[in-house]
Amino acid sequence: MTAVVNRASGTVPASPAAALVCRNCGANYPLGPQHACFECFGPLEIGYDAARLASVTRAGIEAGPNSIWRYSGLLPAGQDPSTRVDSGTGMTPLIRADELGARLGFTAPLWVKDDSANPTHSFKDRVVSVAITAARELGFTRIACASTGNLANSVAAHAARIGMDSIVFIPSDLESAKVTQTAVYGGTLVAVEGSYDDVNRLCSELSETDEFERTAFVNVNVRPYYAEGSKTLGFEVAEQLGWRLPQQVVAPMASGSLLTKVNKAFKEMVSIGLVEASDYRVYGAQSAGCSPIATAFVNGTDTVVPVKPTGIAKSLNIGNPADGPYALDAVRSTGGAMAFVDDEQIRAGIQLLAETTGVFAETAGGVTTAVLQKLVESGQLDTSRETVIYNTGDGLKTIDAVSDRVSPTAVIPPTVKGMRAAGLL
Ligand SMILES: *Cc1c(COP(=O)(O)O)cnc(C)c1O
Ligand SMILES: [Zn+2]
């Protein structure tokens, strides 16, 4: 791609994206709204021009905006600030979790990357910002998605912000907070009587119809662009640690894309010299109600067997995970591990994280915290190595998960005597 002229400020840097590359057979295709290989039907991802990536520097990033767009030189869209959808996504807090670390026996620092601080309170704002920016650059007029909940929130909100039409598809049994937090933005919201995997299949079919020709499904036809947004979770952690990689990271998995892209981000940063190479390990977390990737890991196979999801971690309930094999490869090749935890452990994980760090996570964060604990207890995760866990969503989105486990310490009349009667004085 050649440099484009920005009316306001002259030329802007060319995109570092060079091609769409099949992750299965390596075939190359021109950039555009395509997600599957014509040769082998494998998934496509963005391939970059190595020289353009190598021109990115720490100083250049640090001089950029306080959002994911500071990494635009490493992303496939948004080089021209006038096309960027910038909702302030990214640069979320990296919190020292000393009390949690102490409870779990850590001797090295433990951190929580808290993505509940994004505009719609989940990590999905990262992938949506990049996907919707790419969709505008590619000339689409409507934005759509198949969602397990958080993606619906984010797509509807970003579409409202830039005045684009949206059509969002969700399973009809989603948490009510996530339904309301999508519908409130005023786009079209379609509740489908089926699982996420049914919703996703429907969206794949719709994306082939004439009526949807000018509609970008963020996680279907522009998925290669969407997926790159997750790299910013890796970039930010390294920058926030003072330009070095953590020794271990624990990430939740639905399709497995987030985890795969954090690993891709670390590798890119090493290859262009932004951080030193290190022997970091990537760990993956799922719930027992939907653990196709972690089960393959535990069984020592490469075959991810689809499941019918159950359980409270609905944002992670993808029974047929598109990036499962790549997540397995990222974890195995770095010497990490995967595990899954049941609903009771997820609820306890939410409480443990809240009590020890002040971060109230949705069920996905409960999964990650409980899996951290499980991996420590089984000796698979090393407490003498600096570790980052990713909290990817806000507890207010899934409040039912813990609302019957916690309550006021006491209910009293508004008197000192009342305090005394309750044993609080
Ligand atoms: C979507 C989502 C993830 C991870 O999704 P991937 O499909 O694996 O990229 C993790 N946490 C939350 C809260 C999510 O909504
Ligand atoms: Zn292929």
Side-chain angles (χ1 to χ4, degrees):
M1 285 178 91
T2 50
V4 293
V5 176
N6 174 349
R7 268 165 274 113
S9 60
T11 57
V12 297
S15 170
L20 296 172
V21 181
C22 176
R23 292 160 84 185
N24 193 34
C25 76
N28 274 46
Y29 297 92
L31 291 166
Q34 182 190 342
H35 68 292
C37 178
F38 295 140
E39 306 287 328
C40 75
F41 304 107
L44 302 182
E45 73 173 341
I46 305 284
Y48 291 93
D49 177 322
R52 291 224 173 99
L53 286 187
S55 69
V56 173
T57 62
R58 290 180 183 178
I61 291 169
E62 286 165 354
N66 194 40
S67 74
I68 60 164
W69 294 112
R70 67 206 280 108
Y71 307 106
S72 62
L74 306 171
L75 294 172
Q79 281 67 46
D80 179 350
S82 72
T83 71
R84 267 178 215 165
V85 181
D86 190 351
S87 52
T89 292
M91 295 310 278
T92 54
L94 182 68
I95 297 165
R96 261 298 275 261
D98 289 344
E99 176 60 23
L100 178 60
R103 292 228 202 153
L104 299 180
F106 271 82
T107 52
L110 176 65
W111 305 84
V112 181
K113 176 65 170 167
D114 185 16
D115 248 28
S116 69
N118 278 316
T120 73
H121 313 288
S122 86
F123 112 91
K124 288 295 196 300
D125 292 328
R126 298 177 183 275
V127 283
V128 169
S129 297
V130 176
I132 198 167
T133 297
R136 275 214 296 209
E137 291 177 0
L138 294 167
F140 288 100
T141 55
R142 184 168 65 161
I143 185 136
C145 68
S147 175
T148 58
N150 287 316
L151 188 57
N153 296 170
S154 186
V155 164
H158 282 84
R161 180 177 286 252
I162 64 165
M164 204 181 208
D165 283 343
S166 66
I167 179 163
V168 164
F169 296 85
I170 54 171
S172 58
D173 70 345
L174 271 196
E175 299 96 339
S176 69
K178 286 180 182 165
V179 176
T180 305
Q181 202 204 327
T182 305
V184 74
Y185 300 112
T188 304
L189 173 60
V190 186
V192 179
E193 291 162 337
S195 68
Y196 169 80
D197 299 282
D198 296 322
V199 176
N200 193 44
R201 202 175 328 109
L202 171 63
C203 287
S204 293
E205 283 174 38
L206 287 173
S207 72
E208 306 286 322
T209 64
D210 291 346
E211 292 83 349
F212 278 81
E213 200 187 350
R214 303 192 69 199
T215 301
F217 278 90
V218 298
N219 54 345
V220 183
N221 53 354
V222 295
R223 186 172 177 88
Y225 294 86
Y226 160 96
E228 292 295 289
S230 290
K231 289 194 307 186
T232 60
L233 270 175
F235 298 150
E236 280 177 27
V237 162
E239 184 179 352
Q240 289 170 322
L241 288 176
W243 296 109
R244 62 189 172 78
L245 301 181
Q247 291 177 295
Q248 304 179 129
V249 294
V250 187
M253 300 183 293
S255 71
S257 178
L258 180 164
L259 178 145
T260 309
K261 295 299 174 172
V262 166
N263 187 43
K264 187 180 184 191
F266 288 171
K267 282 195 201 168
E268 266 176 22
M269 295 184 92
V270 169
S271 77
I272 63 183
L274 289 175
V275 296
E276 261 172 45
S278 76
D279 60 345
Y280 67 85
R281 297 173 189 161
V282 179
Y283 293 82
Q286 290 202 296
S287 79
C290 183
S291 63
I293 314 175
T295 296
F297 179 86
V298 171
N299 292 344
T301 76
D302 288 334
T303 316
V304 177
V305 182
V307 299
K308 198 175 179 323
T310 59
I312 61 171
K314 292 188 180 178
S315 58
L316 303 181
N317 278 355
I318 297 185
N320 189 7
D323 292 86
Y326 306 101
L328 282 167
D329 186 51
V331 167
R332 288 191 174 128
S333 67
T334 60
M338 294 184 184
F340 52 84
V341 286
D342 65 28
D343 284 358
E344 273 312 290
Q345 293 171 306
I346 295 168
R347 295 180 211 275
I350 293 172
Q351 273 185 284
L352 176 65
L353 185 68
E355 289 171 8
T356 55
T357 66
V359 173
F360 182 22
E362 75 146 86
T363 45
V367 168
T368 306
T369 306
V371 162
L372 169 74
Q373 185 169 12
K374 186 170 173 177
L375 291 169
V376 167
E377 284 165 3
S378 65
Q380 291 169 282
L381 189 135
D382 186 345
T383 49
S384 69
R385 290 167 65 95
E386 183 170 45
T387 301
V388 174
I389 67 171
Y390 287 103
N391 173 42
T392 46
D394 193 315
L396 295 176
K397 287 169 174 273
T398 59
I399 200 142
D400 288 349
V402 287
S403 56
D404 58 357
R405 292 172 66 104
V406 293
S407 58
T409 307
V411 179
I412 63 161
T415 60
V416 172
K417 209 173 129 203
M419 277 291 283
R420 201 160 271 135
L424 295 171
L425 269 187

